[in-house]
Amino acid sequence: MYEKNGEKYFVVDSHSHFWNAGRDNWVPGAEHYAKGWIDCFYGYHQLGPPETHWDYEKFLRPTPEDVERDVFVEGHVDHTVFQSTYLREWYRDGFNTADQNAALLEKYGDRWIVNGRWDARDGEASWTEFTEDHERFGFKGVKLYTAEWNGDSRGYKLTDPECYRFLERTQELGIRNIHVHKGPTIWPLDKDAFDVADVDHAATDFPELNFIVEHVGLPRIEDFCFMAVQEPNVYAGLSVVVGGLMHARPKMFAKVMGELLFWVGEDKMLFGGDYNIWTPKWQVEGLVDWQMPDDEQFADYAKLTTATKKKILGLNAARLYDIPVPAELRLDEAAGAMA
Amino acid sequence: MNDLRARVWRALDTVLDPELDEPVTGLGFVESCAVSGDGVATVVLRLPTFFCAPNFSFLMVADAYDAVSAVAGVTRADVTLADHHASTEINGGVAAQSGFVGAFAGSDQGEATAELDELRRRFFRKAALAGQDRVARSLVDGGAGPDELAATVLGDVPASAELDRMRHRRAVLGLPHGDDAPLLLHADGTGVTAAQVPLHLRRARLQRVGIEANGAYCRDLLRTRYPAVGS
């Protein structure tokens, strides 16, 4: 919970990590990929305020104590959703596996939501691993990294037949939230793994599932927005939008937020701090303080109400994840309508 | 020789990042550019991250190779990409003129399955839409309404680099681009009606914001990766 000027904000960080990118976890022969990957993240890390920058060695492998302090003690976060990303081609024990989260789960219970992952290209072995993890962690969501390397494959689409079957099975398990990474342009060969057309297709065919497009498909934000206005079950994950732009490029941040508010709307935007690329504290505080500038170039973008900020910072995600919100932190219908 | 280097640099000015629709020179993607006494041009490109998409990266290196090779006085072009996960394939493929598919044949990075012409066209279509916001914005700010904007043709618009750029994008795509072509145009080349103007302009602006946000990230990440160079 974060309180400012008498207003209380329920904070759900819908996109965070607890990774192990330490050198001893780099796959022999693929060290340059493992290093290149975390170096990309470290580049993004530099886009936050200088006083929040970490030493590179610390950045490689945060400790449970780091997470506790940065997320729950200082970060104002009530509940956080950890997104599993395996990248086993480069990281021996995986980059950010569900298993790594176990220690924190013990300590933080239901404040620590762990999402699973599967890779339909691995067939039944992946499904078995996923369902075993689901038994342990009780997944409410999955993270799909459509650009993940896997043998000769440099990415997949949600519309691939085997992936469709896995989505059906995920739905049968009662898991509703599908986080799809559609982010800054990286690595697939001629395929554009961040083209959002596959989400469009899947969202239509699986109306019971929620599709949260992480990083709002930033290299293709226009494609994402055109799709999201048509699909009621498509949401905008704001990770990278806040962390990468709010401090480094405030004018561009205002334009991107203005476009998202216009096209996608305040009920379908979810704060994500992308820990530990960035810590949540400055992002939460910054968003609460933030307002669309008065400058003429932003004149036809909507101003944010307090209700808008409360929805984006936590209430929207709480709804998707069935997280109970204390009465004093809810937005009653009347306040929402007045806002 | 300095004159020849200047002409090589101008040639590089014509090489675009297809996704950002900006020249590689302005983006800071040219790490070095040198021309030897016997006309060998050596150009090294660099990108904001180690994992920048191979398809875009290949287009830039190949386009730079073609542009530099075509400069009168250049006897040989040696264009390479540094610090990239697919440098070996891309540099080898461009040097051998083997195309994108050929560049990745047998690579342990996997196989490319198609050339990149359609990808390039796709980003040109986006650039042509974003350009409509850039060109129309001053008219809108000047008070032009939907009827007026729907009736505006390119010949009515004051000359500008943006206008030239948009005409060029449209010409490449086979879309109307002469003085009598409508300023506001759908992707299929038909004009935008007055009723469609407000939403069309919002789409054009969203497209522009998207491209410019990508550009902002790329510039910031490049500066993070190569801090000594500054802007």
Side-chain angles (χ1 to χ4, degrees):
Chain A
M1 197 269 287
Y2 178 59
E3 183 168 358
K4 180 80 185 276
N5 298 332
E7 291 288 350
K8 293 176 179 175
Y9 300 83
F10 186 72
V11 179
V12 180
D13 187 337
S14 68
H15 189 96
S16 55
H17 308 279
F18 175 46
W19 65 60
N20 176 7
R23 290 182 177 79
D24 58 352
N25 196 25
W26 296 358
V27 169
E31 292 91 346
H32 54 307
Y33 295 134
K35 181 178 186 308
W37 171 256
I38 197 64
D39 283 358
C40 285
F41 275 29
Y42 198 57
Y44 276 94
H45 177 71
Q46 312 297 319
L47 305 183
E51 65 274 17
T52 67
H53 293 178
W54 286 12
D55 169 74
Y56 181 74
E57 295 301 322
K58 178 179 169 181
F59 189 78
L60 290 179
R61 186 171 197 175
T63 65
E65 292 73 30
D66 290 328
V67 181
E68 179 174 10
R69 182 192 61 248
D70 294 331
V71 176
F72 293 120
V73 179
E74 296 178 0
H76 313 300
V77 173
D78 293 289
H79 292 254
T80 188
V81 184
F82 273 70
Q83 308 290 354
S84 299
T85 306
Y86 283 28
L87 305 179
R88 282 181 179 140
E89 294 279 325
W90 311 331
Y91 296 100
R92 204 188 53 218
D93 299 331
F95 177 65
N96 182 47
T97 63
D99 216 29
Q100 286 164 20
N101 292 291
L104 286 148
L105 249 186
E106 258 174 47
K107 185 155 187 184
Y108 285 102
D110 61 359
R111 297 180 69 190
W112 183 268
I113 297 164
V114 176
N115 278 353
R117 72 61 105 170
W118 40 252
D119 187 337
R121 293 169 297 184
D122 289 332
E124 285 309 303
S126 179
W127 187 255
T128 302
E129 179 184 41
F130 176 73
T131 48
E132 284 173 6
D133 285 347
H134 178 47
E135 293 272 313
R136 292 168 60 202
F137 301 121
F139 295 142
K140 289 181 178 174
V142 297
K143 168 76 179 283
L144 300 181
Y145 206 98
T146 56
E148 184 164 353
W149 286 21
N150 188 330
D152 278 345
S153 165
R154 293 294 176 264
Y156 65 93
K157 296 200 173 298
L158 299 189
T159 45
D160 292 346
E162 66 272 28
C163 187
Y164 243 50
R165 177 70 192 123
F166 271 39
L167 283 171
E168 285 167 9
R169 293 165 83 172
T170 302
Q171 181 167 291
E172 285 161 16
L173 286 178
I175 297 170
R176 292 208 319 267
N177 298 314
I178 314 294
H179 293 250
V180 192
H181 176 107
K182 295 286 183 184
T185 305
I186 46 173
W187 80 50
L189 291 168
D190 45 353
K191 271 200 265 184
D192 182 356
F194 298 133
D195 182 346
V196 295
D198 58 335
V199 180
D200 193 359
H201 206 92
T204 304
D205 287 350
F206 293 95
E208 307 292 311
L209 297 177
N210 305 312
F211 291 86
I212 301 101
V213 176
E214 293 302 342
H215 324 313
V216 298
L218 247 184
R220 317 278 185 277
I221 189 173
E222 65 286 344
D223 294 338
F224 165 72
C225 287
F226 297 154
M227 169 186 71
V229 292
Q230 295 170 26
E231 304 290 342
N233 54 336
V234 169
Y235 294 79
L238 296 182
S239 52
V240 175
V241 173
V242 182
L245 290 176
M246 191 170 69
H247 170 76
R249 294 275 179 164
K251 283 185 181 167
M252 190 52 68
F253 177 69
K255 289 181 183 177
V256 170
M257 287 295 282
E259 296 295 339
L260 289 170
L261 285 163
F262 176 79
W263 293 96
V264 184
E266 64 181 31
D267 293 320
K268 300 203 325 182
M269 293 164 65
L270 274 60
F271 167 66
D274 230 331
Y275 187 80
N276 63 306
I277 294 181
W278 301 287
T279 51
K281 182 175 189 286
W282 67 270
Q283 299 184 66
V284 172
E285 293 173 4
L287 260 183
V288 166
D289 289 343
W290 189 78
Q291 185 52 277
M292 189 64 69
D294 290 325
D295 191 306
E296 197 180 342
Q297 61 177 310
F298 308 106
D300 54 354
Y301 290 129
K303 296 281 184 187
L304 277 72
T305 65
T306 302
T308 306
K309 293 177 182 177
K310 289 183 177 180
K311 289 177 181 179
I312 293 173
L313 272 167
L315 298 180
N316 291 338
R319 194 172 71 242
L320 297 190
Y321 276 88
D322 297 321
I323 298 169
V325 181
E328 59 164 0
L329 300 176
R330 282 181 213 151
L331 203 63
D332 60 50
E333 294 304 316
M338 280 163 53
Chain B
M1 194 185 88
N2 282 338
D3 180 49
L4 184 53
R5 185 185 180 278
R7 279 185 280 135
V8 167
W9 190 266
R10 281 200 297 277
L12 290 169
D13 275 334
T14 68
V15 177
L16 301 177
D17 178 315
E19 191 180 22
L20 305 180
D21 195 41
E22 288 187 68
V24 292
T25 45
L27 288 163
F29 291 177
V30 181
E31 181 175 287
S32 62
C33 170
V35 183
S36 71
D38 56 353
V40 176
T42 306
V43 174
V44 179
L45 300 181
R46 61 178 184 194
L47 295 172
T49 77
F50 179 74
F51 279 114
C52 284
N55 45 9
F56 305 136
S57 307
F58 184 90
L59 279 176
M60 284 185 265
V61 180
D63 287 355
Y65 179 91
D66 290 346
V68 171
S69 299
V71 174
V74 168
T75 54
R76 183 161 62 85
D78 182 8
V79 181
T80 54
L81 176 62
D83 306 336
H84 187 272
H85 77 280
S87 296
T88 305
E89 288 83 356
I90 290 171
N91 294 339
V94 169
Q97 295 282 282
S98 59
F100 184 64
V101 172
F104 284 88
S107 163
D108 61 6
Q109 302 236 356
E111 307 273 323
T113 55
E115 292 303 325
L116 303 172
D117 301 342
E118 177 47 34
L119 185 78
R120 194 197 296 273
R121 288 179 64 83
R122 206 170 121 192
F123 284 104
F124 259 52
R125 284 194 288 272
K126 290 173 180 245
L129 179 59
Q132 293 180 47
D133 177 73
R134 294 194 177 107
V135 173
R137 184 61 37 189
S138 61
L139 304 179
V140 174
D141 292 345
D147 290 329
E148 195 180 328
L149 288 164
T152 301
V153 293
L154 297 184
D156 300 334
V157 178
S160 69
E162 274 305 335
L163 180 60
D164 292 344
R165 201 155 82 133
M166 189 173 75
R167 280 187 202 262
H168 173 62
R169 303 286 177 276
R170 287 188 184 180
V172 171
L173 292 166
L175 294 172
H177 58 279
D179 279 349
D180 57 347
L183 166 61
L184 300 184
L185 207 63
H186 292 298
D188 64 1
T190 59
V192 171
T193 66
Q196 294 168 333
V197 163
L199 188 61
H200 183 81
L201 283 178
R202 287 217 81 123
R203 281 180 173 255
R205 184 178 60 183
L206 170 61
Q207 182 64 71
R208 176 183 178 179
V209 168
I211 293 172
E212 291 179 359
N214 290 343
Y217 272 114
C218 290
R219 284 193 162 84
D220 287 345
L221 291 172
L222 188 81
R223 200 155 37 234
T224 296
R225 198 172 185 213
Y226 300 104
V229 186
S231 61

